[in-house]
Amino acid sequence: MSSTAEGPVSTLRPMTASEYADWVEQSITGYAADKVTSGQRTPEESLGLTRKEFAGLLPLGLETPGNHLFSVIDSQGVAVGVLWFGVKKRFGADIAYVFDVSIRPERQREGHAARAFRALEDEVRRLGLAGIALHVFGHNDAARALYDKLGFRPTNISLFKTIDPPRA
Protein backbone atom coordinates (compact mmCIF):
# COMPACT_ATOMS: atom_id res chain seq x y z
CA MET A 1 0.00 0.00 0.00
CA SER A 2 1.44 3.35 -0.93
CA SER A 3 1.26 6.24 1.46
CA THR A 4 2.00 9.89 1.93
CA ALA A 5 4.22 11.45 4.57
CA GLU A 6 1.17 11.25 6.87
CA GLY A 7 0.54 7.54 6.13
CA PRO A 8 -1.79 5.48 3.92
CA VAL A 9 -4.39 7.28 1.82
CA SER A 10 -8.09 6.57 1.29
CA THR A 11 -10.17 8.97 -0.78
CA LEU A 12 -13.81 9.41 -1.76
CA ARG A 13 -14.84 9.20 -5.42
CA PRO A 14 -18.42 9.60 -6.66
CA MET A 15 -19.97 6.16 -7.06
CA THR A 16 -20.47 4.89 -10.62
CA ALA A 17 -23.76 3.42 -11.87
CA SER A 18 -22.33 -0.12 -11.86
CA GLU A 19 -20.95 0.34 -8.34
CA TYR A 20 -24.37 1.61 -7.24
CA ALA A 21 -26.11 -1.44 -8.71
CA ASP A 22 -23.74 -3.77 -6.82
CA TRP A 23 -23.91 -1.77 -3.59
CA VAL A 24 -27.63 -1.11 -3.25
CA GLU A 25 -28.72 -4.76 -3.00
CA GLN A 26 -25.90 -5.63 -0.60
CA SER A 27 -26.72 -2.61 1.53
CA ILE A 28 -30.43 -3.44 1.64
CA THR A 29 -29.84 -7.04 2.72
CA GLY A 30 -27.17 -6.02 5.25
CA TYR A 31 -29.36 -3.33 6.81
CA ALA A 32 -32.34 -5.70 6.92
CA ALA A 33 -30.18 -8.26 8.75
CA ASP A 34 -28.98 -5.62 11.23
CA LYS A 35 -32.60 -4.65 11.95
CA VAL A 36 -33.31 -8.31 12.81
CA THR A 37 -30.13 -8.69 14.91
CA SER A 38 -31.01 -5.54 16.85
CA GLY A 39 -34.48 -6.91 17.61
CA GLN A 40 -36.27 -4.10 15.78
CA ARG A 41 -37.81 -6.33 13.08
CA THR A 42 -38.73 -9.92 12.48
CA PRO A 43 -36.94 -11.87 9.75
CA GLU A 44 -40.21 -12.13 7.83
CA GLU A 45 -40.81 -8.39 7.62
CA SER A 46 -37.33 -6.89 7.58
CA LEU A 47 -36.32 -7.22 3.93
CA GLY A 48 -39.60 -5.82 2.59
CA LEU A 49 -39.60 -2.89 5.00
CA THR A 50 -35.96 -2.13 4.22
CA ARG A 51 -36.64 -2.12 0.48
CA LYS A 52 -39.43 0.41 1.09
CA GLU A 53 -37.10 2.58 3.18
CA PHE A 54 -34.42 2.62 0.49
CA ALA A 55 -37.00 3.37 -2.21
CA GLY A 56 -38.11 6.37 -0.15
CA LEU A 57 -34.58 7.57 0.58
CA LEU A 58 -33.15 7.06 -2.92
CA PRO A 59 -36.13 7.22 -5.30
CA LEU A 60 -33.86 8.32 -8.16
CA GLY A 61 -30.87 6.19 -7.19
CA LEU A 62 -27.58 7.99 -7.71
CA GLU A 63 -29.46 11.01 -9.05
CA THR A 64 -31.55 11.55 -5.90
CA PRO A 65 -31.12 15.22 -4.92
CA GLY A 66 -29.42 15.90 -1.60
CA ASN A 67 -27.69 12.50 -1.50
CA HIS A 68 -24.00 11.86 -2.02
CA LEU A 69 -22.81 8.33 -2.74
CA PHE A 70 -19.09 7.66 -2.83
CA SER A 71 -16.75 4.75 -3.31
CA VAL A 72 -13.90 4.62 -0.81
CA ILE A 73 -10.69 4.31 -2.84
CA ASP A 74 -7.39 3.01 -1.47
CA SER A 75 -3.96 4.38 -2.37
CA GLN A 76 -3.74 1.90 -5.29
CA GLY A 77 -6.96 3.24 -6.84
CA VAL A 78 -9.01 0.20 -5.80
CA ALA A 79 -12.57 0.63 -4.49
CA VAL A 80 -12.59 -0.87 -0.98
CA GLY A 81 -15.93 0.38 0.32
CA VAL A 82 -18.75 2.91 0.15
CA LEU A 83 -19.96 5.98 2.00
CA TRP A 84 -23.45 7.47 1.54
CA PHE A 85 -24.72 10.62 3.16
CA GLY A 86 -27.69 12.87 2.69
CA VAL A 87 -27.97 16.57 3.49
CA LYS A 88 -30.47 16.91 6.34
CA LYS A 89 -31.65 19.65 8.66
CA ARG A 90 -30.61 18.69 12.19
CA PHE A 91 -29.54 20.65 15.24
CA GLY A 92 -30.81 23.82 13.54
CA ALA A 93 -28.44 23.56 10.59
CA ASP A 94 -27.77 21.63 7.40
CA ILE A 95 -25.62 18.60 8.16
CA ALA A 96 -24.37 15.44 6.48
CA TYR A 97 -26.33 12.42 7.73
CA VAL A 98 -24.37 9.24 7.05
CA PHE A 99 -26.73 6.46 6.00
CA ASP A 100 -24.08 3.89 5.17
CA VAL A 101 -20.37 3.41 5.45
CA SER A 102 -18.96 0.00 4.76
CA ILE A 103 -15.59 -1.44 3.89
CA ARG A 104 -15.19 -4.80 2.15
CA PRO A 105 -14.61 -7.50 4.79
CA GLU A 106 -11.21 -8.47 3.39
CA ARG A 107 -10.08 -4.80 3.59
CA GLN A 108 -11.36 -4.02 7.09
CA ARG A 109 -8.96 -3.15 9.90
CA GLU A 110 -6.67 -1.26 7.49
CA GLY A 111 -7.89 2.21 8.51
CA HIS A 112 -10.04 2.86 5.43
CA ALA A 113 -13.19 3.77 7.37
CA ALA A 114 -11.37 6.29 9.56
CA ARG A 115 -9.69 7.85 6.53
CA ALA A 116 -13.03 7.91 4.65
CA PHE A 117 -14.53 9.90 7.53
CA ARG A 118 -11.61 12.33 7.44
CA ALA A 119 -12.23 12.77 3.70
CA LEU A 120 -15.93 13.21 4.48
CA GLU A 121 -15.07 16.05 6.86
CA ASP A 122 -13.36 17.83 3.95
CA GLU A 123 -16.44 17.26 1.75
CA VAL A 124 -18.74 18.58 4.50
CA ARG A 125 -16.61 21.72 4.81
CA ARG A 126 -16.62 22.14 1.01
CA LEU A 127 -20.44 21.93 0.97
CA GLY A 128 -20.74 24.41 3.86
CA LEU A 129 -22.46 21.91 6.15
CA ALA A 130 -22.31 22.29 9.93
CA GLY A 131 -21.45 18.73 10.94
CA ILE A 132 -21.91 15.00 10.52
CA ALA A 133 -24.52 12.77 12.18
CA LEU A 134 -25.15 9.05 11.92
CA HIS A 135 -26.89 6.08 13.50
CA VAL A 136 -25.07 3.04 14.78
CA PHE A 137 -26.62 -0.23 15.89
CA GLY A 138 -25.98 -1.02 19.55
CA HIS A 139 -24.58 -4.45 18.68
CA ASN A 140 -21.90 -2.97 16.38
CA ASP A 141 -19.12 -2.54 18.92
CA ALA A 142 -16.38 -2.01 16.32
CA ALA A 143 -18.25 0.85 14.64
CA ARG A 144 -19.12 2.43 17.97
CA ALA A 145 -15.44 2.37 18.97
CA LEU A 146 -14.43 3.92 15.64
CA TYR A 147 -16.99 6.72 15.92
CA ASP A 148 -15.88 7.47 19.48
CA LYS A 149 -12.25 7.62 18.31
CA LEU A 150 -13.27 10.01 15.50
CA GLY A 151 -14.94 12.38 17.98
CA PHE A 152 -18.62 11.50 17.53
CA ARG A 153 -20.71 11.83 20.68
CA PRO A 154 -24.12 10.32 21.43
CA THR A 155 -27.08 12.64 20.98
CA ASN A 156 -29.67 10.15 22.26
CA ILE A 157 -29.61 6.49 23.20
CA SER A 158 -32.48 4.01 22.89
CA LEU A 159 -32.36 0.94 25.12
CA PHE A 160 -34.42 -2.24 25.18
CA LYS A 161 -34.82 -5.15 27.59
CA THR A 162 -36.57 -8.38 26.66
CA ILE A 163 -39.01 -9.65 29.29
CA ASP A 164 -39.65 -13.37 29.44
CA PRO A 165 -43.31 -14.46 29.41
CA PRO A 166 -44.86 -15.54 32.71
CA ARG A 167 -43.98 -19.03 33.83
CA ALA A 168 -46.84 -21.49 33.69
Side-chain angles (χ1 to χ4, degrees), residues 99-149:
F99 286 101
D100 189 16
V101 60
S102 59
I103 303 298
R104 290 184 186 163
E106 69 275 11
R107 297 302 304 271
Q108 292 177 359
R109 300 291 187 234
E110 295 178 14
H112 294 294
R115 290 189 298 273
F117 269 97
R118 288 187 199 103
L120 173 60
E121 289 178 15
D122 291 339
E123 182 69 7
V124 166
R125 280 186 199 94
R126 187 185 73 74
L127 293 171
L129 304 176
I132 303 167
L134 54 82
H135 167 270
V136 61
F137 285 103
H139 64 268
N140 193 339
D141 294 330
R144 290 172 52 205
L146 171 66
Y147 301 143
D148 184 60
K149 179 179 157 188

Side-chain angles (χ1 to χ4, degrees), residues 37 50-51 102 154 162:
T37 300
T50 300
R51 286 190 191 290
S102 59
T162 300

Side-chain angles (χ1 to χ4, degrees), residues 27-75:
S27 189
I28 287 170
T29 57
Y31 186 71
D34 278 337
K35 287 294 221 178
V36 172
T37 300
S38 70
Q40 296 178 31
R41 294 186 180 155
T42 66
E44 297 77 23
E45 71 183 349
S46 192
L47 190 57
L49 290 172
T50 300
R51 286 190 191 290
K52 286 181 187 175
E53 280 183 73
F54 271 67
L57 291 168
L58 293 170
L60 302 176
L62 279 174
E63 303 305 318
T64 302
N67 285 270
H68 303 265
L69 294 108
F70 294 97
S71 290
V72 178
I73 307 299
D74 74 4
S75 55

